[in-house]
Amino acid sequence: MAASKLTTEPRIAQVVGTVHSPGSLRRALRLRAGDVDFLELRVDHFVKDRQALLAAIPRLKFPLIVTARHPAEGGANGLSLAQRRALLAEFLPFASAIDVELRTVFGVETILAMARGHRVKVIVSSHHFTSTPSAKALAALIRGARDAGADIVKIAALSSTIVSLQRLISIFERPPALPLSVMGMGEFGKISRLVLADAGSVLNYGYLDEPNASGQWEARELKKRLVDIAAR
């Protein structure tokens, strides 16, 4: 089991490069130290070619976040809960963290117990591609993830207006109960990922070959920009 290297109190906001395609896997294999902080393995995208991903893992130079996404939250290949649970179990030995949706946590209790038993961090996530939840709903999501035992809560939501972006920023107006990873998508997605990282988002996602969500930065560029912001 991989030792967990994910810190919830980073000196500089941390960048996650997402591996969701053969092209992004090739890019991940060419990354140099300092280009990113973590790689997210979207194993739902590799369900038809798991062996290629498994073979590449020993050559990846960064701690890994393992994700098998629910179809309603952007998951690939229409996988059932049982299929996603099996993928998480298969790739858990390589993980520094696993990411499960809030809607999924009560279907993967055994996986979460295994993760905690091996000191693998648990990210509980919620994705909203067509809207920004209300401030009340955002607070409820965070409470629900905390109650489910999250080490980090991840929220990704549409930020198509200044008002919706401000709603995401407002999450950080008070010290959060646990570390948060918050990002916007859509028109204000790119600016949201800089502003929210500066506000306290601990994990900030970027693409390696092509975006798999609107408003993403290329991961190495995002890392450079966040380093520059931290140096101000």
Side-chain angles (χ1 to χ4, degrees), residues 47-101:
V47 67
K48 298 177 182 178
D49 195 11
R50 296 178 356 270
Q51 292 307 314
L53 185 57
L54 287 166
I57 284 175
R59 294 181 286 146
L60 296 172
K61 303 179 180 70
F62 301 89
L64 304 177
I65 299 170
V66 171
T67 304
R69 184 70 67 221
H70 191 291
E73 298 196 28
N77 293 306
L79 303 181
S80 67
L81 174 60
Q83 289 173 307
R84 299 196 311 276
R85 189 164 49 218
L87 284 170
L88 289 170
E90 181 177 15
F91 284 86
L92 182 63
F94 311 106
S96 288
I98 60 170
D99 180 332
V100 298
E101 304 84 12

Side-chain angles (χ1 to χ4, degrees), residues 21 32 36 38 41 46 59 62 68-69 78 94 141 175 177 185 215 224 231-232:
S21 67
R32 299 179 179 180
V36 299
F38 300 94
L41 301 185
F46 288 87
R59 294 181 286 146
F62 301 89
R69 184 70 67 221
F94 311 106
L141 288 171
M185 298 177 284
K224 291 175 184 176
R232 290 181 312 192

